[in-house]
Amino acid sequence: LQNVPTYLCRDAGDLQYVVDKGWIDVIDSRYILGLDGISLPLLALTLLVVPLCIIYSWNHLPDPGKPKAFFTLLLILETGMVGTFLAQDLILFFVFFEVVLLPMYFLIGVWGGEQRQYASIKFFLYTLFGSVFMLLGFLGLYFSGPDPHTFDLVKLTEFGAGGGFTHTFQLIVFGAIALGFAIKVPMWPFHTWLPDAHTEAPTIGSVLLAGIMLKMGTYGFIRIALPVLPEG
């Protein structure tokens, strides 16, 4: 294994290429990024699919055109997806998780099919609704977590795995966080936005929805909900 890259030899729990910078000092939220065995395949998938979408769109730009706006939104969408798979701070994760909403809203609403406005608004409202509960769950983890309070996902995972959160607290907060992720997956009965979004989205919108964005919800369960709140 001497010639195999280290990131392929490490355990899934070993963070590599860590970036840890001060960010929002008032609430002790830090700009922490890291790569491990869970996020690596999803990061690789994102960095493969998005360039393919760009290559396809080069000669197949949907109406009404506007290539500058189209490709700008596509790159912002990629930023949100990559950041979601690398973020190790709950507030940073939430920001990246929500960044993907606006680009996809406009990609569907401007370059989509006949019912594009209905589909884009439904997609936006559904996801935003779940995100409110997810943010409340993150705040619950912050105030009930280790002292000093932190949004650091590694510290919260260690605290939760060690039995730091009560059983009742875990049930309540897991429910709030799970609602946000369930809508993103989407899981029944929060799935009704997906057929409209897929039908009305431009080709690359459907590709990115099915290929990457729907995996963000399941990734959230595996990265945050299950390890931090194991009893919940």
Side-chain angles (χ1 to χ4, degrees):
L1 296 176
Q2 290 182 348
N3 297 323
V4 178
T6 56
Y7 56 78
L8 295 179
C9 301
R10 298 289 187 89
D11 294 332
D14 291 336
L15 284 177
Q16 298 178 77
Y17 309 108
V18 176
V19 176
D20 189 348
K21 303 289 185 181
W23 189 33
I24 310 177
D25 295 333
V26 175
I27 58 175
D28 195 30
S29 178
R30 299 184 61 80
Y31 187 88
I32 309 175
L33 301 176
L35 182 69
D36 66 1
I38 299 175
S39 54
L40 174 63
L42 294 169
L43 176 66
L45 179 67
T46 305
L47 298 180
L48 171 66
V49 172
V50 173
L52 291 177
C53 289
I54 293 175
I55 293 171
Y56 169 82
S57 301
W58 202 261
N59 293 319
H60 300 85
L61 193 65
D63 293 331
K66 302 180 181 179
K68 288 184 179 180
F70 185 85
F71 289 113
T72 298
L73 290 172
L74 188 58
L75 292 176
I76 295 174
L77 187 61
E78 181 184 21
T79 301
M81 294 185 296
V82 169
T84 298
F85 297 136
L86 296 180
Q88 298 296 323
D89 179 275
L90 291 183
I91 295 299
L92 183 64
F93 175 90
F94 181 81
V95 170
F96 280 126
F97 196 81
E98 297 306 305
V99 159
V100 303
L101 281 185
L102 284 178
M104 185 55 69
Y105 169 81
F106 286 113
L107 285 174
I108 298 174
V110 177
W111 289 272
E114 295 182 359
Q115 300 295 323
R116 57 184 178 272
Q117 292 185 352
Y118 168 77
S120 60
I121 292 175
K122 188 175 183 179
F123 159 76
F124 186 85
L125 292 179
Y126 257 77
T127 310
L128 190 63
F129 172 78
S131 298
V132 172
F133 289 93
M134 184 174 68
L135 180 59
L136 290 175
F138 288 171
L139 292 176
L141 294 177
Y142 173 79
F143 288 111
S144 299
D147 192 21
H149 298 314
T150 181
F151 288 104
D152 188 323
L153 187 53
V154 174
K155 294 180 181 178
L156 288 172
T157 300
E158 293 175 351
F159 185 78
F165 299 114
T166 66
H167 182 69
T168 302
F169 175 85
Q170 291 196 41
L171 290 176
I172 296 173
V173 175
F174 186 92
I177 296 175
L179 180 61
F181 292 145
I183 293 176
K184 198 78 166 187
V185 170
M187 297 170 61
W188 184 91
F190 310 110
H191 65 292
T192 57
W193 64 265
L194 184 60
D196 295 311
H198 263 309
T199 303
E200 302 302 328
T203 301
I204 69 159
S206 292
V207 170
L208 293 174
L209 270 173
I212 304 172
M213 286 186 62
L214 303 188
K215 295 171 177 58
M216 291 169 58
T218 308
Y219 173 81
F221 275 110
I222 297 173
R223 170 64 70 193
I224 299 175
L226 294 175
V228 177
L229 303 165
E231 295 181 22

